[in-house]
Amino acid sequence: MSDNENEKSDLWKDFIRDYWKFALIGVAGIVAAFIAGVFVFLWRVDVAPAVLGTPPFIGDWSVKLCILFFLNVLLWEFLIVGIPFISGLGAVFGLWWYRLSQEEKEKYDLKDKKHKRKPTVKDGGGVVPFVMAIFWFVIVAYNGYWDTPFSSWEFTIFVSFMIRALIWFLIIFGPPALVALIWWLRRELSREESAVGIPAEDSPGNEAGNIEAVEPEED
């Protein structure tokens, strides 16, 4: 890991340790936006046959219908979820930035490009889709669709299996991730509290060492 990456990691740790309330607000906003996005997606799936004329079976879909459905979902996700989320995130960020001192603003300067890093394969971004795909295969087999041709699949069934895989993924990995996050926050906060404690040289145990030797007076 390079020095720039280490410095960026330290900045994130400092931010979460010093402004953990804003970090929690951001996490809560992301979770709320994600849940809202799922409901908006299910809503557009439900109204797609009436609005776009999508057929019930996957085998009858065309490339044109796929693109129209994708654009329709994207539009409503942006209107219902994207705009409120971006507005709220901007308000929270503006409030946080306004409260910073000039020294802290220079520390968290977003224009400093040396802290930017391009994502790489080592970031592990493909693990989540892989695990969710395994869950999806298990759900498909459990519901008896393992040998069913895709032409006989209803689109709503396909979507419901995807949502179930997502729910099981969150049930299994969500609580451990939350516990790990809380443990990390408590550890960082305890480190900060210990860092502002009494220095070792000023502690009561060292008072004897700080007493200067008194020379005997000559008669």
Side-chain angles (χ1 to χ4, degrees):
M1 184 178 292
S2 63
D3 295 338
N4 289 341
E5 292 177 355
N6 288 330
E7 189 173 355
K8 180 180 178 181
S9 178
D10 293 337
L11 283 177
W12 275 109
K13 290 181 180 179
D14 292 342
F15 169 76
I16 296 177
R17 182 177 60 249
D18 299 337
Y19 304 99
W20 60 272
K21 292 182 179 180
F22 284 97
L24 288 180
I25 293 175
V27 172
I30 293 174
V31 173
F34 176 79
I35 296 175
V38 172
F39 279 102
V40 170
F41 175 74
L42 294 177
W43 170 51
R44 299 317 298 173
V45 169
D46 185 57
V47 301
V51 176
L52 302 176
T54 56
F57 295 98
I58 297 179
D60 297 330
W61 280 61
S62 63
V63 176
K64 176 184 176 181
L65 286 176
C66 291
I67 294 177
L68 289 177
F69 175 76
F70 173 77
L71 294 177
N72 184 268
V73 171
L74 187 64
L75 173 63
W76 285 101
E77 291 282 2
F78 176 73
L79 293 177
I80 298 179
V81 181
I83 293 179
F85 176 74
I86 294 174
S87 302
L89 184 64
V92 173
F93 176 80
L95 178 61
W96 168 73
W97 188 259
Y98 176 77
R99 295 179 57 182
L100 291 180
S101 62
Q102 185 61 33
E103 181 180 356
E104 289 177 314
K105 288 182 179 179
E106 294 177 356
K107 176 182 177 181
Y108 295 107
D109 188 4
L110 300 180
K111 296 180 181 179
D112 192 357
K113 296 183 179 180
K114 70 179 181 179
H115 297 313
K116 295 183 179 180
R117 180 174 65 92
K118 295 181 179 180
T120 61
V121 179
K122 296 181 180 180
D123 294 335
V127 175
V128 173
F130 176 75
V131 175
M132 288 191 59
I134 294 178
F135 287 165
W136 187 79
F137 290 144
V138 173
I139 292 172
V140 168
Y142 178 79
N143 287 271
Y145 278 77
W146 188 256
D147 295 328
T148 304
F150 280 110
S151 58
S152 302
W153 282 45
E154 293 185 8
F155 181 64
T156 53
I157 294 295
F158 177 79
V159 172
S160 67
F161 288 167
M162 292 175 56
I163 299 299
R164 293 181 193 178
L166 175 62
I167 292 174
W168 277 109
F169 178 85
L170 295 177
I171 290 175
I172 295 176
F173 295 101
L178 181 60
V179 171
L181 177 61
I182 295 175
W183 172 82
W184 184 84
L185 285 175
R186 290 177 61 89
R187 187 190 66 174
E188 293 297 324
L189 291 176
S190 62
R191 284 182 178 180
E192 181 183 9
E193 292 176 357
S194 61
V196 297
I198 302 176
E201 59 272 11
D202 296 335
S203 60
N206 290 335
E207 290 180 356
N210 294 332
I211 299 176
E212 297 181 357
V214 179
E215 297 181 358
E217 297 181 357
E218 297 181 357
D219 295 337

